[in-house]
Amino acid sequence: SEQAGGQRHMALLVRIGEALISESPLQALDAVVRDARAAGDHDAVAIAREERARLRPARAGGGAVRDLLAAAGRYRDPIDQVRVLHRLAELLSARGDLPAARVALLAALDITSESKRGHTVQRLRTVARAMGDELELRRSRGQGEGKLVTLAPVPTRRGPGGRSLAARLQRFRSLLS
């Protein structure tokens, strides 16, 4: 039964690869997502959604954002989750939604390993600078754990239409950690 599950997983991964080179990859990936979800294969769902996000144009609705959020939520390995959250932050930054990009990076920081923490902190500082915010690392008394603290009263840039996805991502962040 475990062997059958492994074979089913490999078959789904093969279908993802086939979908990517098909004439209509988005529709083919939709079918793989449905089948992987029905099979209970969280990793295959996440991989298919991540690939689907890669194929979608950054400016076309929220499909790529939804796919990346779903992938981050489905992956079981924090390394995969962090990678997807960094991609999400890049997408949101490209769309001009810097507050939401910051929340995506904070979610990544919550689950990243100590060895990768510096990279995420550096990206957070870059986003903060782009927002006109100063980001400071404060140490809690006696805790020894550093906390990132924003020094700006209100983010200065918003996403398309003046609305940011930051509040929605904040709810997602609490589910991830």
Side-chain angles (χ1 to χ4, degrees), residues 3 17 24-25 34 39 50 52 58 73 76 80 85-86 92 117 132 134 137 156 162 176:
Q3 185 178 9
S24 52
R34 280 191 305 274
E50 188 177 359
R52 194 167 65 178
R76 296 172 190 254
D80 293 323
L85 289 168
H86 277 268
L92 293 166
R117 186 174 171 82
E134 291 183 33
L137 191 61
T156 55
L176 260 185

Side-chain angles (χ1 to χ4, degrees), residues 2 10 30 40 63 146 154 157 159:
E2 186 175 316
M10 288 304 295
D30 287 343
V154 177
R157 291 175 66 186

Side-chain angles (χ1 to χ4, degrees), residues 44-169:
V45 172
I47 292 166
R49 301 254 348 219
E50 188 177 359
E51 291 302 325
R52 194 167 65 178
R54 188 185 322 269
L55 294 173
R56 291 181 184 213
R59 64 189 181 285
V65 171
R66 276 191 307 276
D67 280 337
L68 290 174
L69 284 171
R74 290 275 185 165
Y75 276 125
R76 296 172 190 254
D77 189 338
I79 292 171
D80 293 323
Q81 291 175 325
V82 169
R83 183 191 70 252
V84 171
L85 289 168
H86 277 268
R87 288 197 56 224
L88 178 61
E90 290 168 9
L91 174 67
L92 293 166
S93 293
R95 290 176 57 177
D97 194 349
L98 295 177
R102 172 195 263 160
V103 174
L105 289 170
L106 286 170
L109 189 65
D110 290 342
I111 57 177
T112 196
S113 66
E114 284 301 316
S115 64
K116 304 289 185 194
R117 186 174 171 82
H119 175 67
T120 303
V121 169
Q122 185 59 41
R123 292 195 69 195
L124 273 165
R125 287 187 174 138
T126 301
V127 168
R129 272 193 302 278
M131 291 173 62
D133 186 8
E134 291 183 33
L135 199 61
E136 181 178 303
L137 191 61
R138 293 189 179 171
R139 295 207 175 268
S140 304
R141 291 185 188 165
Q143 299 282 342
E145 171 92 9
K147 298 288 181 194
L148 289 167
V149 179
T150 181
L151 302 177
V154 177
T156 55
R157 291 175 66 186
R158 299 282 184 195
R163 291 181 307 250
S164 174
L165 295 172
R168 288 183 185 166
L169 284 176

Side-chain angles (χ1 to χ4, degrees), residues 22-34:
S22 72
E23 288 185 26
S24 52
L26 288 174
Q27 291 80 11
L29 285 170
D30 287 343
V32 175
V33 167
R34 280 191 305 274

